[in-house]
């Protein structure tokens, strides 16, 4: 029997009112399976169709504690393992030499330590999913307020679509390197459609795919490592420079690595909301850490190592400039392995699907946060819209991948550093840990922070990023002081500091006035 509209506030939350308005109810059996009312609203009809074909119907509504039945702990690690053991991570490491002019040793040290820094917030926020059953953007209402979080959701939507665009270009480059007659747009469409189909089915299918997709990728990356080592073209003796120019280059490369590593933080809890409520936070943290740190460091180091060959070997240099990252894989795999090498490259191209699944699944949730109108659109339809958006961006950007990737990574690092500065300050200083939350208030604007302090702090964070950034199109006054001619990027460091400090100063006044 389904609940009445008056009884629809699951676990005490007023957040299901919109569901009642659209004719959707919840059953009262042990697992709270969805059961749809007899209403003829478009939403209800679409959700009934989705349920018929096994599509996840839940959007941003809180997952009730007795429905958090995903008891497999290893899924927490494998979703991040698969999402990061991909060509895009390899490409991050490869940029250290042609874009930033670094050698292997300084690149390697930057990769190891900055990845360690960048993934810690992701690991931390992953522990919120089992505890509260809230998606990351919905959880963010406790930091930015019911209305203020809409601004954050817009940034997250742009980030998800941007990352997907950048990633799919890498895969298309691999297809083009295998077959030069295959245009870039065709590879983009192939990867995008595969990703869309998986994400439409939702949380469980995404986890099933990510649980296994890392295995062939690991095998192929090990083959790349072995074949490249056999060539003897690894150049680990590139000069380790010193002085302002080297410092600026490392700071700028570090900003890019940080942006890629911490890029998952704005949807970290999305992939643990079905874990049991009593799941150990330490276990969730460690599984997430392993799933992120190991593949990121391995693939980025491999990318930097292979790129060293372009310094003295014209074949590698020409392959990179002709076909980008795909050309590098081709020159390593195809001459010694022939058709099998091309097969390996095709698998790596398709691995972009694993990288983009979290982006496209989460973009649909962020779109639902924007308003009650967007929340009434079923999650799986937003998946289709998000896919169309990033394909439209990726096709014209195909020929400008390196510059797009560098600039995009840095900008992502800026806004996420601001998000982390505010969210972590609210959690540790003002809520004093997990006990300071009332998760049943997640959809009650009057019980959530007004968000004024958070939004003003966000503006201060943008100011910090502008002062410290070092981009091709703009270098801030502090960024100019952190290097030689082109400066060095300290945008994410200043963004975090400016947002955290300003929030800590303003939030007590906001709490005193609004009493929340």
């Amino acid at each position: 029997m389904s609940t009445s509209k008056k009884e629809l506030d699951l676990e005490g939350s007023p957040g299901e009112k919109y569901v009642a308005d659209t004719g959707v109810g919840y059953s009262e059996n042990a697992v709270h399976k969805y059961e749809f009312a007899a209403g003829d609203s478009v939403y209800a009809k679409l959700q009934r169709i989705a349920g018929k074909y096994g599509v996840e119907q839940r959007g941003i509504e809180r997952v009730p504690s007795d429905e958090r039945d995903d008891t497999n702990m290893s899924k927490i690690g494998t979703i991040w393992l698969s999402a990061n053991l991909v060509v895009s991570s390899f490409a991050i490491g490869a940029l250290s030499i042609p874009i930033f002019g670094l050698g292997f040793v300084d690149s390697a040290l930057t990769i190891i330590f900055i990845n360690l820094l960048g993934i810690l917030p992701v690991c931390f926020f992953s522990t919120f999913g089992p505890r509260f059953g809230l998606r990351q953007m919905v959880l963010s209402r406790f930091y930015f307020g019911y209305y203020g979080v809409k601004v954050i959701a817009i940034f997250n939507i742009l980030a998800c679509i941007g990352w997907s665009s950048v990633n799919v270009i890498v895969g298309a480059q691999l297809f083009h390197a295998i077959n030069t007659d295959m245009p870039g747009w065709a590879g983009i469409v192939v990867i995008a459609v595969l990703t869309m189909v998986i994400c439409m089915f939702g949380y469980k299918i995404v986890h099933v795919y990510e649980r296994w997709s890392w295995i062939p990728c690991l095998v192929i990356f090990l083959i790349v490592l072995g074949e490249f080592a056999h060539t003897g073209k690894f150049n680990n003796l590139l000069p380790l420079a010193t002085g302002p120019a080297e410092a600026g280059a490392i700071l700028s490369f570090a900003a890019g690595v940080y942006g890629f590593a911490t890029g998952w933080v704005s949807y970290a809890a999305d992939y643990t909301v079905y874990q049991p409520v009593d799941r150990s936070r330490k276990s969730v943290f460690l599984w997430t850490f392993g799933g992120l740190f190991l593949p990121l460091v391995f693939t980025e180091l491999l990318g930097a190592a292979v790129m060293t060959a372009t310094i003295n070997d014209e074949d590698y240099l020409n392959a990179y400039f002709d076909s980008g990252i795909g050309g590098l894989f081709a020159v390593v795999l195809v001459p010694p392995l022939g058709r099998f090498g091309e097969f390996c490259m095709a698998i790596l191209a398709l691995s972009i699907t694993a990288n983009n699944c979290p982006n496209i699944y989460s973009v649909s949730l962020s779109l639902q946060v924007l308003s009650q109108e967007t929340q009434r659109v079923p999650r799986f339809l937003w998946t289709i819209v998000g896919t169309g958006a990033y394909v439209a961006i990726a096709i014209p950007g195909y020929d400008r991948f390196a510059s797009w990737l560098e600039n995009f990574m840095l900008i992502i690092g800026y806004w996420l550093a601001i998000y982390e500065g505010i969210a972590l300050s609210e959690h540790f200083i003002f809520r004093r840990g997990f006990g300071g939350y009332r998760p049943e208030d997640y959809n009650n604007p009057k019980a959530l922070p007004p968000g004024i302090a958070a939004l003003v702090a966000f503006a201060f964070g943008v100011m910090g990023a502008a002062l410290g950034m070092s981009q091709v199109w703009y270098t801030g006054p502090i960024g100019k002081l952190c290097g030689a001619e082109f400066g060095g990027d300290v945008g994410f460091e200043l963004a975090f500091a400016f947002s955290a400090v300003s929030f800590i100063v303003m939030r007590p006044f906001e709490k005193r006035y609004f009493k929340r």
Side-chain angles (χ1 to χ4, degrees):
M1 182 179 74
S2 64
T3 59
S4 67
K5 291 184 180 182
K6 290 183 179 179
E7 296 170 330
L8 205 56
D9 289 341
L10 197 62
E11 294 198 347
S13 165
E16 314 303 331
K17 180 180 180 300
Y18 93 97
V19 183
D21 295 339
T22 53
V24 182
Y26 290 93
S27 68
E28 294 179 333
N29 61 23
V31 292
H32 288 274
K33 295 295 184 184
Y34 282 102
E35 176 179 288
F36 297 97
D40 292 325
S41 69
V42 174
Y43 183 91
K45 290 178 179 179
L46 288 172
Q47 289 287 43
R48 284 197 291 270
I49 294 171
K52 181 179 179 181
Y53 292 100
V55 174
E56 182 190 12
Q57 297 149 285
R58 185 181 297 280
I60 60 171
E61 307 82 39
R62 186 185 181 198
V63 181
S65 58
D66 59 352
E67 198 172 323
R68 298 174 211 165
D69 54 2
D70 188 359
T71 57
N72 194 318
M73 176 72 81
S74 63
K75 286 183 180 178
I76 299 172
T78 54
I79 189 168
W80 302 122
L81 178 61
S82 293
N84 291 283
L85 196 66
V86 293
V87 183
S88 300
S89 305
F90 178 96
I92 300 300
L95 289 180
S96 64
I97 293 172
I99 300 297
F100 300 102
L102 300 176
F104 181 75
V105 174
D106 40 2
S107 298
L109 292 172
T110 305
I111 287 169
I112 293 169
F113 289 106
I114 299 302
N115 271 306
L116 180 62
L117 177 66
I119 67 173
L120 289 178
V122 187
C123 301
F124 177 69
F125 283 110
S126 291
T127 66
F128 284 69
R131 181 69 178 266
F132 299 139
L134 296 173
R135 313 286 187 164
Q136 189 68 39
M137 281 296 102
V138 179
L139 173 69
S140 300
R141 289 173 176 171
F142 290 93
Y143 314 132
F144 294 88
Y146 184 86
Y147 300 103
V149 81
K150 300 177 189 298
V151 176
I152 305 306
I154 291 172
F155 275 91
N156 198 44
I157 291 163
L158 296 175
C160 290
I161 291 174
W163 272 128
S164 298
S165 303
V166 168
N167 293 336
V168 80
I169 290 173
V170 182
Q173 286 181 343
L174 280 167
F175 281 130
H176 181 73
I178 299 169
N179 179 5
T180 54
D181 293 330
M182 184 176 185
W185 66 263
I188 289 170
V189 170
V190 167
I191 297 169
V193 170
L194 179 58
T195 305
M196 181 185 70
V197 171
I198 294 170
C199 292
M200 283 181 65
F201 282 91
Y203 176 96
K204 291 185 178 180
I205 300 303
V206 170
H207 267 290
V208 168
Y209 178 78
E210 304 278 10
R211 183 163 176 76
W212 305 108
S213 64
W214 64 272
I215 297 175
C217 294
L218 176 61
V219 172
I220 294 170
F221 276 121
L222 291 175
I223 292 173
V224 172
L225 174 61
E227 290 295 337
F228 180 67
H230 184 69
T231 66
K233 294 180 179 179
F234 171 52
N235 187 349
N236 65 338
L237 297 178
L238 293 177
L240 186 61
T242 59
E246 171 73 0
I250 288 178
L251 287 169
S252 296
F253 179 54
V257 173
Y258 177 83
F260 192 85
T262 209
W264 307 109
V265 73
S266 54
Y267 30 101
D270 294 358
Y271 302 97
T272 56
V273 290
Y274 285 95
Q275 288 285 324
V277 67
D278 58 352
R279 179 68 79 200
S280 163
R281 293 201 298 271
K282 179 180 178 182
S283 297
V284 173
F285 186 98
L286 291 177
W287 273 102
T288 306
F289 182 89
L292 288 166
F293 187 73
L294 296 177
L296 283 171
V297 170
F298 171 66
T299 51
E300 289 175 16
L301 287 177
L302 183 59
V306 173
M307 186 58 81
T308 63
T310 62
I311 302 300
N312 297 318
D313 191 290
E314 288 191 4
D315 291 337
Y316 279 78
L317 185 63
N318 292 334
Y320 176 71
F321 281 109
D322 290 343
S323 301
I325 296 300
L328 283 182
F329 280 104
V331 78
V332 173
L333 293 173
V334 175
L337 301 177
R339 289 291 184 183
F340 180 70
E342 293 179 351
F343 172 77
C344 290
M345 290 177 62
I347 297 298
L348 287 177
L350 293 174
S351 76
I352 295 298
T353 301
N355 194 230
N356 272 358
C357 276
N359 294 323
I360 298 307
Y361 178 72
S362 291
V363 76
S364 62
L365 301 172
S366 295
L367 283 160
Q368 286 193 329
V369 169
L370 292 180
S371 70
Q372 286 195 354
E373 285 69 31
T374 59
Q375 195 173 353
R376 289 189 178 100
V377 177
R379 179 201 57 78
F380 63 89
L381 290 184
W382 283 127
T383 298
I384 299 173
V385 173
T387 299
Y390 83 77
V391 168
I393 294 171
I395 290 175
Y398 177 80
D399 294 322
R400 294 179 291 276
F401 167 72
S403 60
W404 275 43
L405 178 58
E406 178 200 355
N407 294 330
F408 181 71
M409 283 191 309
L410 294 173
I411 292 171
I412 290 298
Y414 302 150
W415 98 261
L416 288 175
I418 297 170
Y419 174 88
E420 291 163 1
I422 295 169
L424 293 173
S425 297
E426 173 71 17
H427 175 81
F428 286 108
I429 297 175
F430 299 104
R431 295 190 182 271
R432 301 190 178 184
F434 289 88
Y437 294 81
R438 285 176 50 86
E440 62 270 19
D441 292 337
Y442 80 94
N443 211 31
N444 182 1
K446 294 181 179 180
L448 294 166
I452 299 172
L455 291 179
V456 174
F458 194 95
F460 274 99
V462 172
M463 182 191 304
L467 291 172
M469 70 193 312
S470 177
Q471 299 271 3
V472 173
W473 41 272
Y474 173 76
T475 301
I478 297 179
K480 290 179 181 178
L481 302 176
C482 298
E485 179 183 358
F486 301 106
D489 198 295
V490 290
F492 85 84
E493 296 94 333
L494 292 182
F496 181 93
F498 275 50
S499 61
V501 171
S502 58
F503 182 74
I504 292 169
V505 170
M506 291 183 291
R507 179 69 171 124
F509 296 100
E510 181 182 64
K511 289 189 70 174
R512 188 177 306 157
Y513 184 81
F514 291 98
K515 310 299 181 185
R516 51 191 168 99

